Amino acid sequence: MRQPIWADLCKSFIREARWYYSGYVPTLKEYMDNAWISIAVPMVLVHAFFLVTNPVPKEALESSSKYPDLIRCSATIFRLADDLATSSDELKRGDVPKSIQCYMNEKGASEEEAREQIRLCIKETWERMNTAQRENSLFSETFVEITKSIARTAHCMYLHGDGHGIQNGEVKNSTSKILFEPITPLY
């Protein structure tokens, strides 16, 4: 059994550092093969798996260590939502090119065309995640809901820009509503 989640995360950070210091702009595929790990969602989800699964079935344990589609899709959605909201600011701060810039560089596309392609990738990844959920009986309903909730969180957190690094009025208002205001029934 292999459980290299922390090693995988560190390797992905090192790869991005190498890209940055060499000035290399990866293809979108190269970027995404690394970025779904560097967003740290797989590490969080594998830890969550052990917190909500008791007993841990051997088959599920082996599957979780290979990053099944539920984990990959959740992480990919989080990464792409993050990139849509933060890539411009992160480039200004001196970060590596994100999915948008990788697509623009590879295809010669405009920023708006690249952003539309990333939105399409998010939609397609949600479809894959929903299919994986239906086909995967190894994981508990609780764990499946956690994978979907993390992907939903990204949409919420990055809806009005960088909800993690730079909070603006929209983000603060939305967070305040989620945490402190009661949910009112629709009826």
Side-chain angles (χ1 to χ4, degrees):
M1 177 180 65
R2 90 180 187 83
Q3 282 293 45
I5 53 175
W6 282 98
D8 289 349
L9 182 61
C10 291
K11 286 176 189 175
S12 72
F13 290 160
I14 290 168
R15 186 171 297 119
E16 287 182 0
R18 286 185 178 138
W19 289 343
Y20 175 77
Y21 285 108
S22 70
Y24 180 69
V25 179
T27 65
L28 181 59
K29 181 179 180 348
E30 287 174 312
Y31 173 79
M32 289 308 302
D33 285 347
N34 189 69
W36 72 271
I37 296 172
S38 70
I39 196 70
V41 168
M43 185 262 312
V44 170
L45 287 174
V46 170
H47 283 83
F49 169 74
F50 289 104
L51 290 171
V52 301
T53 308
N54 187 15
V56 177
K58 184 179 179 185
E59 299 83 16
L61 177 64
E62 290 170 357
S63 181
S64 73
S65 70
K66 297 173 187 161
Y67 305 119
D69 279 348
L70 280 171
I71 291 174
R72 283 180 184 260
C73 290
S74 182
T76 298
I77 291 165
F78 203 103
R79 168 51 75 191
L80 293 174
D82 176 313
D83 287 358
L84 281 172
T86 67
S87 62
S88 300
D89 290 331
E90 288 177 351
L91 282 176
K92 289 176 191 169
R93 292 191 300 257
D95 207 340
V96 296
K98 303 298 181 196
S99 57
I100 295 162
Q101 292 78 26
C102 293
Y103 185 83
M104 289 169 62
N105 186 59
E106 184 179 346
K107 302 291 184 181
S110 69
E111 183 173 348
E112 191 46 48
E113 290 169 329
R115 287 181 175 279
E116 190 54 40
Q117 179 61 34
I118 299 309
R119 287 184 200 99
L120 178 63
C121 288
I122 290 172
K123 180 182 180 284
E124 290 170 349
T125 305
W126 268 113
E127 290 169 2
R128 275 199 335 268
M129 187 172 184
N130 289 332
T131 300
Q133 172 197 351
R134 287 189 302 271
E135 294 173 352
N136 200 328
S137 61
L138 292 176
F139 299 106
S140 69
E141 205 173 300
T142 302
F143 181 71
V144 170
E145 281 304 311
I146 290 170
T147 63
K148 292 184 335 189
S149 292
I150 284 184
R152 289 183 197 117
T153 299
H155 287 294
C156 181
M157 187 161 46
Y158 297 114
L159 182 63
H160 300 290
D162 187 352
H164 178 68
I166 303 171
Q167 285 92 36
N168 59 34
E170 295 267 354
V171 172
K172 286 180 182 177
N173 186 37
S174 177
T175 303
S176 178
K177 282 183 178 183
I178 290 169
L179 296 176
F180 304 113
E181 293 183 21
I183 298 172
T184 55
L186 296 174
Y187 50 92

